[in-house]
């Protein structure tokens, strides 16, 4: 059975920003796009840059290392389509933000 785990609270991430959380041993970049939350693997598939520390503009995060851009709603890389980051299902339960294990 699928299990959701609390990783943050709604007030932890302001609209237009992101945060790095952990899901078990996995680092996850969690973003607030106009009140909708999206989660992708924190490690950039190019050279492991921390996507959770990237700049978010709309639904696009820019990797802080070499500026590759990723759509946080799909995990698609807009700079090099060969790259894609893993996505995680997000659920909001009251004030809690949960990710599916
Ligand atoms: S490590 Fe992210 S673009 Fe190079």
């Amino acid at each position: 059975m699928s299990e959701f785990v609390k990783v943050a609270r709604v007030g932890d991430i302001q609209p237009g920003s992101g945060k790095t959380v952990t899901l078990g041993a996995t680092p996850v970049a969690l973003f607030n796009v106009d009140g909708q939350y999206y989660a992708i693997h924190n490690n950039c598939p190019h050279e492991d840059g921390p996507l959770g520390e990237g700049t978010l503009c709309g639904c696009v995060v820019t990797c802080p290392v070499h500026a590759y851009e990723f759509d946080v709603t799909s995990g698609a890389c807009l700079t090099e389509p060969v790259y894609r980051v893993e996505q995680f299902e997000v659920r909001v339960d009251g004030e809690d933000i949960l990710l599916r294990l």
Side-chain angles (χ1 to χ4, degrees), residues 3 5 7-8 19 21-23 27 41 51 63 65-66 72-74 79 82 92-93:
E3 188 181 346
V5 176
V7 294
K19 174 184 175 72
V21 299
T22 54
L23 181 63
H41 200 292
L51 294 175
C63 178
V65 180
H66 306 107
V72 302
T73 69
S74 68
T79 309
V82 68
V92 177
D93 182 11

Side-chain angles (χ1 to χ4, degrees), residues 44 46-49 51 63 65-68 70:
C44 176
H46 180 227
E47 290 185 7
D48 284 338
L51 294 175
C63 178
V65 180
H66 306 107
Y68 282 23
F70 295 85

Side-chain angles (χ1 to χ4, degrees), residues 35-95:
Q36 293 287 317
Y37 296 91
Y38 298 94
I40 57 176
H41 200 292
N42 188 58
N43 296 359
C44 176
H46 180 227
E47 290 185 7
D48 284 338
L51 294 175
E53 297 174 24
T55 302
L56 186 66
C57 183
C59 63
V60 175
V61 65
T62 301
C63 178
V65 180
H66 306 107
Y68 282 23
E69 295 181 328
F70 295 85
D71 184 334
V72 302
T73 69
S74 68
C77 181
L78 307 178
T79 309
E80 284 285 351
V82 68
Y83 291 125
R84 172 174 289 278
V85 283
E86 181 182 1
Q87 282 185 284
F88 299 88
E89 186 176 344
V90 182
R91 177 184 288 176
V92 177
D93 182 11
E95 292 295 308

